[in-house]
């Protein structure tokens, strides 16, 4: 039985707590939050679980084997480090840390202590991303051309990070999982309107093999959109995460170019075949992810969303900040 401590019971913490509480092989042992109101909610949901306002009582507890850090990003490093120092495995919210150096230090510490770090890249556990990964791995899409994502809504404004650090970790972790080519260059542009942090931004990532990605993140959109297009040589995917069903659609559409008789003549032919919506698993992503974390600890197995995966995302976020500061100057990765 893995005894789990949760630090941070604000917006996302209750979801994490519920999924670890319900996971086989796991016991929710303690919930920590600085806010008395959050602790009151935790006690109401789990009357038999210990609650505390002091994170050190979780990271240093003899009754805890693993700690989930579900607090704002600037607190992740210190809390995760304290947990690892005390021999606990850690499940850390995205993005793993505020800097790549911090992520490297956590990875190093976990390796020395033979402990697991898992980063909550939640979307990797959704039926949609699993299906798209399968389509790519099986070669259904053919050579990849592009990844194009729109992730916009009104708010929730964060007071400590810009919209890129809030929303783009989802796309960056999905890209990292789906695209085998290496990211080479990143360009980020954005604008600040309200609270001193960019509230909308556009990221472009150039990969090897001519793959390009574009991500649009925005807290000032009147409507919520979660739409990703993935273009391949053979097939193209449209993933609308807000669709009630048929979230993923695969289009047999494409373009073929052949040389004509004349040297400068190009013959462009468009393929417009069927569209189908593959069956996509409906299980809540966090349920699968919580179970996987427990399994990885019990089997002493490194998760695929480990510290290294978290570090790759943090490096892209740091590059985005650097590019933003210079109005979209290309940053080599
Ligand atoms: N994976 C996802 O889809 C997803 C979704 C939302 C948020 N998140 C991540 O979850 C984390 C938390 O986000 P949120 O929206 O829940 O924030 P939040 O502000 O709603 O909640 C954070 C909670 O942590 C508590 N806290 C902060 N520092 C603490 C400390 N040192 N000790 C004890 N409690 C402390 C605060 O009192 C608050 O209740 C962030 O890293 C965010 O990026 C991930």
């Amino acid at each position: 039985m893995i005894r789990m401590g949760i630090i941070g019971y604000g917006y996302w913490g209750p979801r994490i707590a519920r999924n670890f509480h319900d996971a086989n092989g796991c016991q929710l042992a303690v919930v920590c939050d600085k806010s008395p109101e959050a602790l009151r909610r935790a006690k109401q949901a789990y009357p038999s679980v210990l609650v505390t306002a002091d994170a050190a009582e979780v990271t240093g507890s003899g009754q805890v084997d693993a700690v989930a850090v579900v607090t704002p990003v600037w607190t992740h490093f210190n809390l995760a480090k304290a947990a690892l120092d005390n021999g606990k495995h850690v499940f850390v919210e995205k993005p793993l840390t505020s800097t790549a150096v911090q992520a490297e230090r956590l990875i190093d510490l976990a390796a020395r202590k033979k402990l697991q770090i898992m980063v909550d890249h939640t979307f990797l556990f959704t039926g949609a991303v699993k299906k798209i990964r399968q389509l790519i791995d099986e070669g259904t899409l053919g050579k990849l051309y592009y990844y194009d994502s729109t992730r916009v809504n009104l708010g929730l404004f964060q007071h400590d990070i810009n919209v890129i650090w809030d929303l783009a970790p989802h796309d960056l972790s999905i890209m990292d999982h789906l695209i085998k080519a290496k990211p080479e260059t990143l360009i980020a542009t954005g604008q600040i309107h309200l609270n001193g942090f960019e509230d909308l931004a556009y990221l472009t990532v150039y990969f090897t093999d001519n793959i390009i990605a574009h991500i649009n993140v925005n807290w000032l959109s009147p409507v919520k959109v979660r739409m990703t297009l993935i273009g391949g040589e053979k097939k193209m995917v449209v993933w609308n995460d807000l669709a009630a069903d048929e979230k993923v659609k695969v289009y047999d559409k494409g373009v073929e170019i052949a040389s004509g008789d004349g040297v400068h003549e190009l013959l462009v032919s468009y393929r417009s075949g069927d569209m189908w919506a593959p069956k996509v698993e409906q299980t809540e992503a966090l349920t699968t992810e919580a179970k996987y974390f427990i399994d990885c600890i019990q089997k002493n197995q490194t998760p695929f969303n480990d510290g290294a995966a978290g570090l790759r995302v943090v490096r892209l976020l740091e590059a985005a900040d650097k590019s933003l500061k210079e109005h979209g100057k290309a940053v080599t990765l």
Side-chain angles (χ1 to χ4, degrees), residues 221-290:
S221 162
V223 291
K224 182 169 180 173
V225 182
R226 296 284 185 271
M227 181 72 89
T228 306
L229 310 182
I230 300 171
E233 189 180 15
K234 293 186 189 160
K235 302 276 188 293
M236 297 183 181
V237 166
V238 176
W239 165 28
N240 178 4
D241 201 46
L242 300 185
D245 50 18
E246 304 190 343
K247 282 183 194 289
V248 176
K249 291 182 176 166
V250 186
Y251 288 81
D252 182 13
K253 289 197 181 195
V255 181
E256 267 136 47
I257 301 212
S259 300
D261 292 342
V263 181
H264 301 295
E265 203 178 322
L266 285 180
L267 294 177
V268 182
S269 64
Y270 297 94
R271 191 180 68 257
S272 191
D274 291 341
M275 179 281 287
W276 80 95
K279 190 169 157 45
V280 164
E281 193 187 293
Q282 298 285 347
T283 317
E284 183 184 349
L286 279 179
T287 303
T288 313
E289 190 177 4

Side-chain angles (χ1 to χ4, degrees), residues 7-14 32-35 38 41 52-55 69-76 79 93-95 120-123 156 158-159 161 165-166 170 286:
I7 307 177
Y9 200 80
Y11 163 68
W12 198 242
C32 166
D33 200 295
K34 285 194 301 197
S35 146
R41 284 188 286 115
T52 174
D54 182 2
V69 178
V70 199
T71 50
V73 57
W74 60 272
T75 65
H76 289 183
L79 293 171
E93 266 314 317
K94 62 83 193 163
D120 181 16
H121 291 161
T122 322
F123 275 96
L156 301 163
Q158 305 288 315
H159 34 78
I161 47 170
W165 282 75
D166 181 35
H170 295 308
L286 279 179

